[in-house]
Amino acid sequence: MEKPFAITLDIGSSRANKTGSWRTERAVYTNRMPPCNDACPAGENIQGWLYEGEEGGAGYERAWRVIMEDNPFPAIMGRVCYHPCETACNRGQLDEAVGINSVERFVGDEAIRQGWTVSVEVPPTGKHVLVVGAGPSGLSAAYHLARRGHTVTVREAGPMAGGMMRFGIPRYRLARDVLDAEVQRILDLGVTLELDAKVTDLTALRDEYDAVFLAVGAQLGRRTYIPAGSAAHVLDAVDMLRDLETGEKPLLGRKVAVYGGGNTAMDAARTAKRLGASEAVVVYRRTQDRMPAHESELAEAQDEGVLFKWLTTIKQVDAGKLVVERMELDESGFPQPTGELDELDADSLVLALGQETDLSLLDGVPGLVVDDGVVAVGPDMMTGCPGIFAGGDMVPYERSVTVAVGHGKRAARHIDAWLSGAVPEPVVRPALATFDTINTWYYADAPRAHRPVLDRARRESTFDEVVLGHDESTALMEARRCLSCGNCFGCDNCYGVCPDNAVIKLGRPGESYLIDLDYCKGCGLCVAECPSGAIQMFPEEI
């Protein structure tokens, strides 16, 4: 009688039967683009630094250094960034998004407390770059250019560095010791800062430098015509916030009206309350859901007692009162007057209708194209004039600190390439790690920790920071809520579930596993059970 095939094999290991020859697909470890990284205007490797920070202890400094590769302002960003990374976070579809912004603030504050520094690790290039404007974009460019070995001079028209981070964001949102510490860290790299040095004739300076980066912020308040009596008290929100920073306390009276619906309007109204106004009313011609101010700004203003008058415009300003008109939205959402007039008591009116950039320094520069108050630039951030680059508020992009910081980094990369004659390598963007690629069964429930806030009584009478930071244990727990979307974090799941023992643990930094294709049958079990979606199946080439 013939014996069954299974028992006719010689005694020994079954690994003699190389089952990999049965395979029609192979499993491949891949790196998808985490949605938080994809959404960050500053281009931070968010998942990378969260991974380092999850260790705690020495991991905080490693996390900080990963951030500093892209963004020199982690402590500032942890206060003023509106965190689009959290809106994109896949964990938001599971329970709540990871508090990325709060962890970044903790890491940034820890760096200031510990005195961590960065240095220039490359030899000097001999090239000299002028940066016009010491706001977030200009300082970011200066930082990255200095670390690439270039000599950098920053010329700032104002008396202090920081731009709109200092003159447009009140102290209750951004403590000035934090701002000063992170600006000083950039200057310590050898960057020269010239204050009260407004550039009025760029043409005359072009030949003194090898390249120029323009980062003039939008520090002019946009005006509109409103009939006003001789005794009416009307001032601009941008000027008001700037004067307050330089030590001039504006006289607003007991009842203050703020005209506008953006973040600057929220800051002006909240500042008015802190300066002693018993009533601050924001007048906005559209509805709340169409307000450009961020939800967090609006919520904090409402919590502090700021009042709102929706669907209202201002027709006339007189001493102690405003004449306002009720509006209604048409089919396209544009406000239309109704003819219904009313009066509103107000000792002063603060205009917060947006900002514009002073572009007078560009007069006579050949090749520059200015359209609708902004400068046209290419994908490399270069203007129409060779060697002159621009970024931040003066180019046609969204205006925020984070966007400006990202512009500075990108411009520095292209300036460096332009000065060296090299062609920047194209940035390859891997496929996005979407929620459906994550195996959420493996992740435990972990409620988000929300940052504490200052008591309302203190918020109304001081400029102390309103939103406070996490302590170490809370920040560590928040970092550990990261799902590591699309990237391997060494959980050993693939190693444990492989029925053919085809997954080999390497244990080398940056190299966790290797698939032995002699035995991988292409069953896809490792792909199905990978928590972060870091393994994909590809057709086998025959």
Side-chain angles (χ1 to χ4, degrees):
M1 182 182 74
E2 293 187 5
K3 296 179 180 179
F5 171 77
I7 63 173
T8 60
L9 296 175
D10 293 334
I11 296 173
S13 171
S14 63
R15 291 183 67 79
N17 184 11
K18 295 188 176 181
T19 54
S21 60
W22 305 356
R23 187 178 60 251
T24 58
E25 290 184 303
R26 69 168 62 188
V28 178
Y29 290 94
T30 57
N31 292 311
R32 297 179 189 263
M33 171 65 77
C36 52
N37 293 25
D38 184 62
C40 178
E44 288 186 19
N45 180 10
I46 293 172
Q47 190 184 93
W49 62 256
L50 279 175
Y51 177 80
E52 299 292 351
E54 288 177 17
E55 182 184 310
Y60 297 139
E61 183 173 356
R62 293 198 303 272
W64 178 79
R65 295 196 180 280
V66 173
I67 298 173
M68 294 294 288
E69 289 299 312
D70 300 302
N71 179 1
F73 302 120
I76 293 173
M77 209 62 64
R79 289 165 166 82
V80 305
C81 179
Y82 295 109
H83 39 79
C85 54
E86 295 182 19
T87 303
C89 177
N90 279 330
R91 178 129 204 166
Q93 299 182 55
L94 183 60
D95 41 39
E96 286 188 272
V98 176
I100 300 167
N101 189 243
S102 61
V103 181
E104 184 170 21
R105 170 174 173 163
F106 172 80
V107 171
D109 286 351
E110 188 71 4
I112 294 173
R113 189 177 71 84
Q114 299 274 13
W116 297 335
T117 61
V118 291
S119 58
V120 178
E121 304 294 339
V122 297
T125 63
K127 302 294 185 180
H128 195 175
V129 181
L130 172 65
V131 175
V132 182
S137 191
L139 290 172
S140 172
Y143 169 79
H144 289 288
L145 287 166
R147 296 198 74 188
R148 284 173 165 81
H150 303 300
T151 301
V152 183
T153 296
V154 180
R155 291 198 177 189
E156 165 59 39
M160 292 176 280
M164 293 303 284
M165 293 189 294
R166 185 182 299 276
F167 297 107
I169 299 177
R171 292 170 181 262
Y172 60 78
R173 287 177 54 203
L174 174 57
R176 295 307 186 246
D177 59 338
V178 172
L179 174 60
D180 292 339
E182 297 209 309
V183 170
Q184 187 59 48
R185 189 189 293 131
I186 296 174
L187 301 182
D188 290 342
L189 293 175
V191 172
T192 299
L193 174 63
E194 299 178 2
L195 299 173
D196 295 316
K198 184 176 182 179
V199 174
T200 56
D201 187 355
L202 186 60
T203 305
L205 287 173
R206 282 178 59 201
D207 295 337
E208 298 180 24
Y209 299 90
D210 297 292
V212 177
F213 178 62
L214 303 175
V216 180
Q219 299 194 19
L220 300 178
R222 188 172 294 157
R223 308 292 291 187
T224 188
Y225 175 69
I226 301 176
S230 58
H233 186 39
V234 182
L235 62 161
D236 180 79
V238 176
D239 292 339
M240 167 186 144
L241 294 173
R242 181 186 297 113
D243 290 345
L244 188 63
E245 184 64 26
T246 57
E248 297 182 29
K249 185 177 179 180
L251 300 175
L252 301 174
R254 291 190 312 106
K255 294 187 176 183
V256 179
V258 178
Y259 191 27
N263 296 316
T264 301
M266 301 301 104
D267 286 335
R270 296 171 69 185
T271 296
K273 294 280 288 183
R274 285 166 169 78
L275 292 175
S278 59
E279 184 178 288
V281 182
V282 173
V283 179
Y284 183 55
R285 61 183 187 151
R286 291 185 172 89
T287 52
Q288 177 176 336
D289 61 311
R290 296 177 181 270
M291 206 174 200
H294 288 88
E295 289 184 15
S296 59
E297 293 288 312
L298 175 61
E300 289 175 13
Q302 290 175 323
D303 190 44
E304 292 174 9
V306 173
L307 305 177
F308 292 84
K309 227 172 158 45
W310 312 108
L311 290 171
T312 303
T313 190
I314 298 176
K315 300 293 290 182
Q316 187 171 337
V317 188
D318 288 311
K321 67 176 182 178
L322 309 175
V323 177
V324 298
E325 181 178 9
R326 178 172 173 76
M327 309 291 281
E328 60 182 20
L329 301 181
D330 60 21
E331 294 179 354
S332 64
F334 192 81
Q336 300 290 349
T338 64
E340 300 177 29
L341 301 180
D342 196 3
E343 287 190 355
L344 179 67
D345 292 337
D347 298 311
S348 58
L349 171 63
V350 181
L351 301 178
L353 303 174
Q355 290 101 258
E356 297 175 338
T357 304
D358 181 3
L359 300 178
S360 59
L361 80 161
L362 305 182
D363 294 344
V365 179
L368 264 72
V369 177
V370 178
D371 184 24
D372 196 24
V374 290
V375 179
V377 293
D380 59 356
M381 308 303 290
M382 190 187 290
T383 67
C385 183
I388 296 183
F389 299 74
D393 291 346
M394 65 187 302
V395 298
Y397 289 85
E398 177 191 351
R399 290 177 172 178
S400 74
V401 173
T402 319
V403 169
V405 169
H407 284 179
K409 183 184 74 170
R410 192 195 315 174
R413 182 166 66 93
H414 287 290
I415 291 171
D416 180 62
W418 188 79
L419 290 173
S420 64
V423 178
E425 294 184 8
V427 177
V428 179
R429 298 181 69 83
L432 191 66
T434 53
F435 184 73
D436 61 297
T437 65
I438 311 299
N439 196 342
T440 58
W441 184 88
Y442 281 101
Y443 296 98
D445 293 339
R448 172 173 172 154
H450 294 273
R451 281 179 279 192
V453 296
L454 195 66
D455 293 338
R456 178 173 171 176
R458 291 182 61 193
R459 289 161 62 177
E460 292 182 350
S461 59
T462 73
F463 280 84
D464 293 347
E465 280 193 314
V466 170
V467 180
L468 308 178
H470 285 320
D471 58 25
E472 181 178 357
S473 61
T474 309
L476 185 60
M477 180 61 70
E478 197 59 39
R480 288 175 175 172
R481 294 182 66 241
C482 175
L483 304 180
S484 193
C485 305
N487 290 276
C488 176
F489 59 92
C491 70
D492 280 357
N493 247 29
C494 54
Y495 180 73
V497 302
C498 180
D500 298 298
N501 294 324
V503 176
I504 302 169
K505 286 185 69 170
L506 298 175
R508 298 195 293 260
E511 298 180 69
S512 299
Y513 309 98
L514 177 69
I515 295 178
D516 188 342
L517 296 177
D518 280 343
Y519 300 100
C520 171
K521 295 196 300 289
C523 68
L525 189 58
C526 57
V527 175
E529 297 300 324
C530 176
S532 62
I535 316 175
Q536 298 181 59
M537 297 299 294
F538 291 90
E540 188 61 79
E541 297 180 4
I542 301 176

